[in-house]
Amino acid sequence: MTQRVELATVMDRLAVDGLITDYAVAVDDGDWAAYRGLFTADGRADYRSAGGIEGDAGKVAVWLAESLRGFSMRQHLIVNRRLRFGVLEQDRGDTAQVQADYVNPMRLGGEGSCAEPDFVCGGRYAFALLRTDDGWRVREVVVQEKWRRLPGGKATG
């Protein structure tokens, strides 16, 4: 591997990491225009394992906005990111697969800045990414919720 190829790979890794972080921030901040902008034109999201929907990014953004309206605080922590680059049309690195675990504490209702979360869930994201003229974009994200703790401390999963 040449130094130029190694540098390009490092730059791609940083860009992909930034995209995954932008995804979490868009959902946490309720920035649904930014959320939609992270996807390819045909990008899809699947939240069915968490009780949600599957569909194109625009439809899912509308559903997320409505579903998360009751939470005054959201904070995605996305960790253990595994990245694999793929091949598209004989060019190396045009696609990527990211598997990442998440913990998502949220608070229902009031705006109290120091109140602890009363709803917490965790699981794994599977992102399929595509390099576009505008940079890396999400082609598909599938959420696999593994557990949740409901208000009152009751755990499921």
Side-chain angles (χ1 to χ4, degrees):
M1 209 179 242
T2 68
Q3 284 184 328
R4 182 171 287 160
V5 170
E6 289 173 354
L7 178 59
T9 300
V10 169
M11 297 301 292
D12 279 335
R13 284 184 168 278
L14 289 171
V16 165
D17 189 67
L19 178 66
I20 302 304
T21 298
D22 289 346
Y23 173 91
V25 170
V27 173
D28 291 344
D29 291 351
D31 187 344
W32 307 118
Y35 177 88
R36 287 187 297 275
L38 299 172
F39 286 80
T40 59
D42 62 346
R44 301 187 68 73
D46 184 347
Y47 287 83
R48 290 177 292 182
S49 77
I53 67 168
E54 184 275 334
D56 66 71
K59 175 182 173 182
V60 172
V62 169
W63 173 80
L64 282 168
E66 182 61 33
S67 298
L68 298 176
R69 182 171 290 146
F71 293 97
S72 62
M73 182 278 295
R74 301 182 291 270
Q75 184 179 32
H76 280 75
L77 307 171
I78 301 180
V79 299
N80 300 335
R81 300 174 193 203
R82 285 189 168 164
L83 169 60
R84 303 284 185 264
F85 289 108
V87 177
L88 181 67
E89 297 176 11
Q90 308 308 78
D91 291 328
R92 299 217 37 89
D94 286 333
T95 64
Q97 302 289 322
V98 178
Q99 174 183 297
D101 295 330
Y102 70 89
V103 175
N104 182 204
M106 298 186 284
R107 183 174 44 251
L108 288 163
E111 294 291 329
S113 62
C114 294
E116 74 178 60
D118 47 17
F119 180 96
V120 183
C121 61
R124 181 166 286 161
Y125 287 113
F127 291 94
L129 308 178
L130 179 67
R131 182 196 314 270
T132 72
D133 291 340
D134 296 321
W136 287 95
R137 295 292 182 264
V138 177
R139 181 183 268 171
E140 180 183 50
V141 60
V142 177
V143 176
Q144 182 59 51
E145 185 176 276
K146 294 183 176 187
W147 60 271
R148 66 173 54 180
R149 189 190 78 216
L150 303 172
K154 184 178 177 182
T156 65

